[in-house]
Amino acid sequence: MFKNVYNWIDERLDVTPIWRDVADHEVPEHVNPAHHFSAFVYCFGGLTFFITVIQILSGMFLTMYYVPDIINAYASVEYLQTQIAFGQIVRGMHHWGASLVIVMMFLHTMRVFFTGSYKAPREMNWVVGMLLFFVMLGLGLTGYLLPWDNKAYFATKVTLEIANSVPVLGPIIKEFLQGGTIVGAETLTRFFALHVFFLPAVLLVLMVGHFIMIRRQGISGPL
Amino acid sequence: MAHGNNSKEKVVFVGDSRVRKGNGFITPPDYTSYPGKSEAFIPNFLLKEWMVGVVVLVGFLALTIAEPAPLGFPANPSASVIPMPDWYFLFLYQYLKLPYASGSYIVLGTLGVSGVAFGSLLLAPFLDTGSERRFYRRPIASSLMILSLIATIYLTNSAWTHYKAEMAETGQISEDIQREEKAAENKAKGLPTSSATKTKEIAIVDKEDPAMESFKKAGCISCHAADMKGAGGPSLRGVGDKHDKAAIAKIIKEGYEGKMPPQYDNAIAAGLTDKDIDHLAEWLSKQKAEK
């Protein structure tokens, strides 16, 4: 039954080569933690992806309740946190996951750096990886404001002041992020849009590039 | 289907374009030159990676259950809160407070050192171009990275220590803890536990009353705003729920808890009479929220 459905689709869309590109490849022994326990350091990239998936899923559930305006934002987060079944867990996962994904990405970056895996022919993949890191920091920054509590508000104010101090571009960046002369309603909607639409879109595009490059270039050899 | 791996195959073009018909998008890399036993990604290797993932997931969920995500009080621009970015920005935040990275040297801080550090991280493969991969054979790259790591850890730690010291000095407790305690207290008393600001707007009572003019003339609006919603000072809408006429008159004469200076002399200087001030106090005491 399942095979018939698969064959029916495959005849029309020729999906087997895609599946082969994604999944059908060998993994060498030196990155396999089952063979060498120390090879767990090669798992950090996969774990970053795993936590990113958790972030996307938990974030999707959070937007079912979150209201991005200054009157209701805090109230909606508080309601989610205290009244909704499992709301505290889902928000907790998104909150702690944001830190964990940074930790995992940091460890992954260090592994790649200290094993010299960014060397030719993998230079471009390192650059894309660093861009992923910056986008992830941007997601952390924009997500921090969304609960609209005092901590979020004052941290964002300071961040925008720091952005403002960059010569020439600073005031433009600040105005773009702030959407006006004060941190207020417009800032919250802008950060929300960046956090749930713009930055995740960039993140996904970069991730696809990252993965295609890994598959094209293969895993770097043992040291 | 027509995706063989035979490289001796005659080159076939697709339709009338000059796109070569290839053998799939990605040729699986050959690891036969690597020592040891390689294995299939799916399902063999993915299972092992999933086992590592499960260990991480259990730890993550345990943290989530043990430690609920913090939530403070609603954003209030006139609150006095020590600004604190998320922990992974602390090193940068602390760095930009250093004397040679702030004030008139701020450009050196933001573009100079941070720009060079992040720029060289981004372009590391083009700076460290040798073919040697082992870190102990790349002393410059490795020592620069280790130094940056030490600096980052040091800066993060000092930012956190300063924050804790500042909190202790000013006797502040983290707002998320305050909110939880307040909610628990209110719950015990059977009161609503929410800290969200009530959104219902309180209307001004008797807007056409001459006291409104006195209110503007006496300079009250510089802190309490022309719409009485407050600016530097608190909102006066519904102030009659808190203070009666005598109390308000006393506040005008003597100030309020050190937060508001006495305003009586200013009002007289602005041309108000004692009668006007008395009427103003009476009008303010009538400012009650609709029940």
Side-chain angles (χ1 to χ4, degrees):
Chain A
M1 167 66 192
F2 179 76
K3 201 169 164 92
N4 285 340
V5 172
Y6 181 82
N7 286 342
W8 189 89
I9 294 171
D10 193 40
E11 268 167 36
R12 283 153 185 83
L13 296 177
D14 193 16
V15 291
T16 301
I18 301 171
W19 170 244
R20 200 184 289 153
D21 286 342
V22 172
D24 183 18
H25 55 100
E26 296 274 293
V27 179
E29 184 191 306
H30 70 284
V31 303
N32 193 331
H35 288 288
H36 306 281
F37 181 71
S38 63
F40 74 88
V41 294
Y42 286 91
C43 288
F44 292 135
L47 291 174
T48 308
F49 176 68
F50 182 44
I51 310 281
T52 306
V53 171
I54 292 179
Q55 287 305 92
I56 292 173
L57 289 176
S58 56
M60 278 158 61
F61 281 101
L62 290 181
T63 54
M64 292 174 118
Y65 292 98
Y66 181 72
V67 183
D69 80 58
I70 55 170
I71 293 170
N72 297 311
Y74 178 87
S76 67
V77 174
E78 192 190 50
Y79 181 66
L80 175 76
Q81 174 87 5
T82 55
Q83 308 292 322
I84 310 250
F86 300 113
Q88 185 176 317
I89 297 291
V90 175
R91 181 164 177 261
M93 286 175 82
H94 203 71
H95 175 87
W96 295 115
S99 290
L100 200 58
V101 82
I102 302 275
V103 170
M104 290 300 169
M105 205 163 36
F106 171 76
L107 294 172
H108 175 58
T109 310
M110 288 303 111
R111 194 279 294 167
V112 173
F113 184 86
F114 284 111
T115 58
S117 301
Y118 57 73
K119 296 195 170 243
R122 300 185 179 80
E123 302 96 325
M124 278 170 68
N125 215 5
W126 168 271
V127 173
V128 169
M130 286 321 296
L131 294 178
L132 274 167
F133 207 135
F134 297 148
V135 170
M136 208 57 103
L137 288 176
L139 280 162
L141 188 80
T142 48
Y144 202 61
L145 179 69
L146 300 185
W148 200 249
D149 59 1
N150 273 327
K151 193 175 66 167
Y153 179 85
F154 286 98
T156 303
K157 237 175 146 173
V158 171
T159 310
L160 291 174
E161 280 317 310
I162 291 173
N164 193 33
S165 65
V166 174
V168 190
L169 281 178
I172 302 171
I173 298 171
K174 186 188 173 193
E175 200 181 336
F176 167 72
L177 289 172
Q178 199 167 252
T181 50
I182 53 157
V183 176
E186 191 75 355
T187 320
L188 184 63
T189 48
R190 287 203 177 190
F191 273 50
F192 178 73
L194 288 170
H195 187 77
V196 300
F197 294 111
F198 290 85
L199 290 175
V202 178
L203 189 82
L204 290 178
V205 169
L206 289 172
M207 265 164 55
V208 168
H210 205 63
F211 295 157
I212 287 175
M213 275 191 263
I214 297 168
R215 294 285 293 106
R216 278 262 159 120
Q217 298 163 342
I219 292 167
S220 59
L223 284 171
Chain B
M1 303 197 82
H3 292 275
N5 254 335
N6 186 358
S7 56
K8 282 174 195 146
E9 209 173 32
K10 206 181 117 200
V11 174
V12 180
F13 290 97
V14 182
D16 63 352
S17 77
R18 269 133 293 171
V19 179
R20 268 174 77 165
K21 183 161 185 175
N23 40 4
F25 181 54
I26 292 167
T27 325
D30 182 20
Y31 292 122
T32 46
S33 61
Y34 295 164
K37 211 167 129 264
S38 54
E39 61 184 22
F41 175 61
I42 288 182
N44 307 32
F45 182 73
L46 198 61
L47 178 69
K48 280 148 199 170
E49 204 160 17
W50 172 241
M51 281 153 65
V52 178
V54 164
V55 172
V56 172
L57 186 64
V58 168
F60 175 41
L61 288 177
L63 172 68
T64 303
I65 293 164
E67 201 66 46
L71 181 68
F73 292 120
N76 174 8
S78 48
S80 64
V81 174
I82 304 167
M84 193 62 173
D86 218 350
W87 64 270
Y88 40 86
F89 289 115
L90 283 183
F91 76 98
L92 201 58
Y93 182 55
Q94 184 70 12
Y95 169 71
L96 291 171
K97 282 180 182 170
L98 294 179
Y100 282 97
S102 58
S104 46
Y105 296 100
I106 188 75
V107 177
L108 186 67
T110 51
L111 273 196
V113 179
S114 314
V116 168
F118 285 112
S120 46
L121 192 62
L122 180 67
L123 300 174
F126 305 101
L127 300 170
D128 177 23
T129 49
S131 60
E132 178 59 56
R133 283 181 48 208
R134 287 167 289 184
F135 68 91
Y136 49 87
R137 292 281 178 84
R138 298 184 283 137
I140 299 175
S142 301
S143 51
L144 281 176
M145 180 56 91
I146 290 169
L147 273 180
S148 323
L149 287 179
I150 293 171
T152 306
I153 293 167
Y154 171 76
L155 285 169
T156 306
N157 180 49
S158 52
W160 186 246
T161 321
H162 281 190
Y163 174 68
K164 284 277 154 203
E166 214 176 329
M167 291 284 274
E169 220 170 83
T170 52
Q172 288 189 47
I173 312 163
S174 182
E175 279 200 349
D176 53 289
I177 298 169
Q178 286 185 45
R179 186 195 66 88
E180 260 175 52
E181 279 171 2
K182 193 180 146 203
E185 252 172 55
N186 283 348
K187 197 176 178 191
K189 286 185 208 154
L191 296 168
T193 54
S194 169
S195 293
T197 329
K198 299 286 166 289
T199 51
K200 201 174 166 226
E201 197 167 276
I202 301 167
I204 301 176
V205 179
D206 281 342
K207 214 174 175 179
E208 306 302 320
D209 196 281
M212 191 77 198
E213 279 312 303
S214 310
F215 181 73
K216 287 177 182 161
K217 213 164 142 194
C220 309
I221 57 170
S222 61
C223 290
H224 298 292
D227 58 6
M228 296 177 67
K229 281 184 183 170
S235 168
L236 290 188
R237 293 197 179 195
V239 69
D241 290 329
K242 271 189 215 150
H243 305 291
D244 60 6
K245 186 187 165 189
I248 291 170
K250 194 174 168 227
I251 290 168
I252 295 173
K253 277 214 176 76
E254 295 168 17
Y256 185 65
E257 291 180 359
K259 292 175 194 159
M260 170 181 159
Q263 294 298 329
Y264 179 78
D265 295 341
N266 292 346
I268 296 294
L272 266 69
T273 61
D274 277 329
K275 212 178 137 199
D276 290 334
I277 295 169
D278 183 70
H279 182 62
L280 178 61
E282 189 182 341
W283 177 71
L284 283 171
S285 70
K286 281 191 227 151
Q287 299 297 330
K288 293 185 182 196
E290 281 171 56
K291 288 278 148 60

